[in-house]
Amino acid sequence: MSEALQAPTYVKENKMAELQAVSVTITSLSGVESEFVLSQNGEFDIGRSDTCYSSINAELLSRRHLTLRYTDGQIFVTDNNSSNGSAIGDVRLIGGQTYAVQLPSTILLANGSIHVQLSSVAEQLASNSPPNTLKPTTSSPSSTSHLTGQGLNLASNLDAAPQGPITHSGSGNDELHQLLLTHGQVLIGRSYDCNYVIDSLQASRKHALLTLSNNRITLKDLDTTNGTFVNGERIAGSVNITATDEITIGTTTFAIQTGTVELKYAIVADNIEKVYAKGIVGLNTMSLKIPSQQFIALMGPSGCGKSTLLKGLNGANPITSGAITVQGLKLNNSNYNTLKKYIGYVPQDDIVHGELSVEKTLFYAAKLRISDDVTKQEIKNKISTVLASLNLDTDAIRKSKVSDLSGGQRKRVSIAVELLNDPKILFLDEPTSPLDPETIEDFLSCIRRLVSKGQTVIMVTHKPSDLDYVDQVIFLSKGGYQTYYGDKNQLLNHFEKDNIIEVYSMMKNPNQGKRWYDHWVSQNPASELSVKQEVLANKSNTALLGQYFWLCVRYFNIKLNDHANLLLLLAQPLIIGGLLVFIFSKLQVSVMFMMAVSAVWFGVSNAAKEIVSELPIYERERMYNLNIFNYIASKLTVLSIIACIQVAIFIGITHLAYSGGNSVNGISEETQLWSISSTALFMLLLSVSATLFGLFLSAVFTTTEKVMTFVPIALMPQIMLAGIIAPLDNNIKILLSYLTLGRWGTEGFAHIQDEAARELGKWTNEKADIPASVMQRVLTPPTTGNENNAAEFTTQGAMQQLNLYDDKSGMVSLFPESFTGVIIAITLINILAFCGLLLALRSKDKRFI
Ligand SMILES: Nc1ncnc2c1ncn2[C@@H]1O[C@H](COP(=O)(O)OP(=O)(O)OP(=O)(O)O)[C@@H](O)[C@H]1O
C-alpha cells in the first residue's frame, strides 16, 4: 500500500462528516460481547489480551486484533496483523494499514466470527434501533467484486494489477470468470492488492497473470519459486488454457469457470509396488484412493510395510512402480519440489531441537522452509495460528524449551513445524507409540480437530485404541500385502474376527496375508496401469545464502542455549592447557605434540555428535529443501567459532607459561620464541580440520553411542603416529602418519618454532648463532633432560628433534620438509574428510530418494 493510505494524508484527502459520538457493539456467535460509545479522541484495542480496551475471549481472535481510533469525530481502523484477519464487507483489511470508516459500518473479525458494528449515536437514536441488533454469521457476505467495500475507503495502488482492487473471497463460483470478462486481466497472488487473492504462504505475492484476449485465455507464471500448475503439470512461462482447466497455486486448486475445486481424493495410488535392493519386497501391488479430510490409520504387524507405504505415498522413499497423485498433482520428478511442500511428514523421532524454545523452533523452521518474500509479521501470524490449532498457544509453552515439554506436546511441536507450510496432507509415523494413554487422548483429539478443519491425516499406529479417533483403516499383512482399506467399523466384519488382536496375529503370517490379499484384490480389482516410478530428486530451492544464514543462526542459538555443554567446551582448553603447563615446565617438542593432539581433540570432540544426534531433523529437512553444502558450512562456521575461543584460551595459557623472564642480548632468556599469532592460527587450522573429520565421523555413524565409542579409536593413531612416542621407522608407519593430523600438527608447530628461532637468532639447521643459554631455553630437548649440558642440543632445532625426515626407511618423503609441506598435507586431509562427509550425507539421502 502506498503512503497515501496512512491516516494523516488520508484525513486531508477524505474529509468526512464530523460525528458527535460513535456507538460500538461487538457480537460473537454467543451474543453481545461488549458495547461502548466513543466520544473522546483515543485508541481502543479489541482482542483476546486482557490489556485490550475490549477484551473478548474468542479462540480465533488475536491478542490485539483490531485498533479503533477516534480522531475528531472520525473513525479509523487498523488490523494489527491478526492471524485470522478483519474485513469490511468482502474487502479484507491489509494488516498494519489504517483505513477511514464511514458510518454505519460492520467490521468482521476472525473469519467473520466476531462482528464490530459501528454507528453514530444520533443515527441510532433516529432509527431507534438498539446497538446489538446485528446477527452474527459465520460466512462472508456477498462475494461480488467491487471497488470499495461498504463503508470503507480503500486507496488504490494497484500499479502491478490491471484494474482496481477487486478482491476474491468466494469459492466454488464463477467469480474469477466474471473478473476476467470484466477486466481482461486478473493478477493472482498472496498479496491483498492482487485481483484474486490466494491465502497461502506457498503462493508468491504476485504469482500468476490471467489474460483474456481474442477469446483466448493465457496463464502466465510470474517466475515463482513454487510454480503454477495446470491439470497437475507445472507450467513454464505462459500457456493457453480453457475455462475448465484446473489451476493449482500454493495449496489451492481452482478453475476459471467454477472457482475453487474441492479435490475428492487427497491421494490416488495406482498399482504401486516397492521392491528394495536384493529383491526384498516391501509392498506388493496395491491401489488406494484416499479421500480428502479423512483421518486414516495405517496398521499391521511389525515389518509388514507400513513405513514403506507411508514413505512411498509421501515421496520420502519412492515406490518402485505404479503412479501416485497427491492433491491432484502427479508425484513425479518435475512436480516433487512443489509437491513436497503440500506434504507434512513427522517421522517416528521428533524433528525439533530440544535446546530451542517452541517459538524459536517454529520461527527458524519458517525461515528455512517458507519463501523469502514472507514477512516476519506473516511468519508470526502463521506461528500463532498453528500453535492455536494444536492447543499450544500459551505464553508458557511458547517460551518453553522443547526438551522441557511432555512427549505429547513435543510431538505436537513437530507437527506444528510441518503445519507452517499449510500442508494438505499430514503423514504421521507412529506418533502415539511413545505416549501414555492420557496424552494419546489429548493428542488424537487435536489431530481430529485438524481433520475437521480440512486436513487429511495418514497415521501409522500399532494401538487398537487409536481407532476410536480415525475414519478409515488400511491394514497390511506381513509380506507387504494390502488386506483391507475402508471404514474402521467394517474392519472386524471383513476379517470375521471379534477383536483386532486376532486380526494382528492372523496378519503376522505371510501366507494368511496372501490369502486375504487375493480376497481383497478379487473384490477390488485395480486398473491395468503399470508405470515405472521416477526417481524423485531433491533440489533445494531456497535461496542459498538465506538458508545458510538461518542454519547458522539456529545452530548458534542451539549451542548458546545448551549451557552445560557450553561450559564444558570452554573448560576443556582451561583444563588441558593448565595440565600441559603444569607437567611440562619448559617448552619442548613434547609440548608441541600435546598441542597438536589437544587441537585435534577439540575439533573431533566438538563435532562428533553434531550430525548423528539430529539425524531425524537432518533427514526431514533434507527431504524438504535442505542444501547439503549449506548444512556443512553452517556446522563448520559455528564449530569454528567455538574452536576459535578454545584455541584463544589454550594459547593464552601456554604463552603465559612459556614466555617472560630476563633478556639476554635483547632476547628473552625464557622460551618465547614461537610467534603467538602463527601458533594460534596454526592451532585453529588444526582444530577446524579436526572438526571436519569429527563431522565426517558423525555422518558415518547412525547413533551417538556408536560415534562416541569410535572417537577414542580415531584419536589413537593421531597420538601413536606423530613420531613422538614411537619412531616412524618403516614405510607403512610413515604412510599412515601422512593421514593423521597429529603428525602434521606436531611438525607444523616444530616448523613455527624453528622459524621463530631462525628469525631471532639467525639460527640455521647447521649451527645456532645465538648463545647456548638462550637456545637452551628456546627448546628443551626431551632426550637429555639436562638443561646445563648446553653443548648437546644448542644446534638442535625442533624439527631435528622430531627426526621425522631421517631416511631410515629408505623412503623418499611425499611432502617437502617445510611448513608449506605441512599445510599441503593438512589441506589434502581436509579434502578427503570433506569428500567423506559429503558421501556419508548423500548416502543418507538414498534412504529417502
Ligand atoms: N531400506 C531397506 N532395504 C531393504 N529392506 C527394507 C528396507 N526398509 C524396509 N525393508 C524391509 O521391508 C519390509 C517392510 O518394512 P517396514 O519398515 O516398512 O515395516 P513396518 O511395518 O513399518 O515395520 P515396523 O512396524 O516395525 O516399523 C521389511 O521386511 C523390511 O525388512
Side-chain angles (χ1 to χ4, degrees), residues 599-672:
V600 174
W601 168 252
F602 293 154
V604 172
S605 66
N606 289 353
K609 282 195 286 193
E610 298 306 292
I611 295 176
V612 70
S613 64
E614 59 171 29
L615 216 48
I617 303 174
Y618 167 79
E619 289 184 346
R620 178 63 189 113
E621 292 185 345
R622 177 83 188 116
M623 180 185 162
Y624 191 82
N625 67 351
L626 182 68
N627 178 289
I628 286 191
F629 292 100
N630 278 342
Y631 181 71
I632 296 175
S634 70
K635 291 276 174 227
L636 265 184
T637 306
V638 175
L639 292 174
S640 297
I641 293 172
I642 293 172
C644 218
I645 298 167
Q646 289 176 319
V647 166
I649 296 172
F650 191 94
I651 292 289
I653 292 172
T654 48
H655 261 266
L656 272 181
Y658 297 128
S659 65
N662 299 324
S663 175
V664 174
N665 293 342
I667 300 164
S668 167
E669 250 199 298
E670 298 298 327
T671 49
Q672 59 169 20

Side-chain angles (χ1 to χ4, degrees), residues 276-277 280-282 300-309 317 348 430 462:
Y276 284 111
I280 299 171
V281 177
S302 197
C304 67
K306 298 182 294 294
S307 300
T308 303
L309 178 57
N317 193 343
Q348 288 181 15
E430 293 191 39
H462 279 292

Side-chain angles (χ1 to χ4, degrees), residues 817-828:
E817 185 188 341
S818 67
F819 191 63
T820 313
V822 170
I823 299 295
I824 293 172
I826 293 177
T827 309
L828 289 177

Side-chain angles (χ1 to χ4, degrees), residues 600 604 607 688-698 710 714-715 718 741 829-830 833:
V600 174
V604 172
V688 172
S689 307
T691 302
L692 201 54
F693 180 59
L695 287 174
F696 162 66
L697 294 182
S698 195
F710 190 79
L715 283 176
Q718 313 288 336
L741 289 167
I829 291 177
N830 281 343

